[in-house]
Amino acid sequence: VAMAKIGAGEIIFSALYPGTRLVPHCASSNNRLTCHLGLLCPSGPRIRVGEDWASWEEGKCMFFDDSFEHEVLHEGDAVRVVLLIRFWHPDLPPERYMPNLHEGMEQFNDMQRRRSVPPLSPSVSDLLAARRAAPAAMAPAARHAAGGVELQEALDAAVAGDDDLE
């Protein structure tokens, strides 16, 4: 209830179709726990948390700490549906709810930035830094160093913050 009151809780129906594989992943902390209530549980889908594999059962709850590496594999022939519920870890004091939520959002936003902005090679980073320092003086040097107009156009777009680079 505490997570729901501050908009941090999550309750969803999770459908997993035959042939699906969720690659190994984990949460960044153990501030929350996860519960799966089995609704439609055919044979074939299974989950690994840490080193242990398990299967869902209709009408039964499976609790786990998603900061442990986990993955899901569905080798069956019918859809699996669970009610997925995430809630604060019972050992987390209530005064840590908001700070942990803010820290988690900052980590998530940083991760999204890293995913959306590809790393630059040192030479391109140097060209961008020099271009930001002296845009007019850098244009001919950047074209020459790059050996073409394409990089200059990319540099111009990057400096302008254009997200439509191809």
Side-chain angles (χ1 to χ4, degrees):
V1 173
M3 286 181 91
K5 285 182 180 178
I6 62 170
E10 182 177 26
I11 300 174
I12 62 171
F13 290 103
S14 173
L16 189 70
Y17 290 86
T20 301
R21 176 170 187 242
L22 302 179
V23 297
H25 60 285
C26 60
S28 60
S29 75
N30 69 341
N31 291 327
R32 67 180 188 189
L33 297 177
T34 299
C35 171
H36 289 182
L37 169 61
L39 300 176
L40 296 175
C41 303
S43 62
R46 53 197 179 112
I47 184 170
R48 179 185 62 81
V49 179
E51 296 182 11
D52 301 321
W53 284 94
S55 297
W56 294 268
E57 295 181 48
E58 290 179 9
K60 294 198 176 178
C61 288
M62 175 188 302
F63 292 88
F64 63 96
D65 178 341
D66 68 355
S67 69
F68 287 89
E69 183 181 84
H70 55 286
E71 67 179 305
V72 177
L73 184 61
H74 191 334
E75 297 173 322
D77 56 9
V79 68
R80 182 238 50 191
V81 178
V82 298
L83 182 65
L84 183 152
I85 306 164
R86 291 206 171 106
F87 54 94
W88 291 118
H89 194 292
D91 291 338
L92 184 68
E95 62 271 11
R96 290 295 307 154
Y97 291 173
M98 290 308 291
N100 283 351
L101 182 60
H102 289 296
E103 291 165 14
M105 290 304 297
E106 287 175 15
Q107 291 172 359
F108 176 78
N109 289 333
D110 288 343
M111 179 183 63
Q112 290 298 94
R113 273 192 293 282
R114 286 191 304 273
R115 286 181 174 168
S116 65
V117 179
L120 300 174
S121 69
S123 60
V124 172
S125 293
D126 292 346
L127 287 172
L128 281 173
R131 176 130 174 99
R132 287 184 183 115
M138 189 57 192
R143 268 194 291 277
H144 180 350
V149 176
E150 294 80 15
L151 181 56
Q152 181 62 43
E153 290 171 352
L155 288 172
D156 291 341
V159 169
D162 188 349
D163 292 337
D164 295 328
L165 295 176
E166 293 186 23

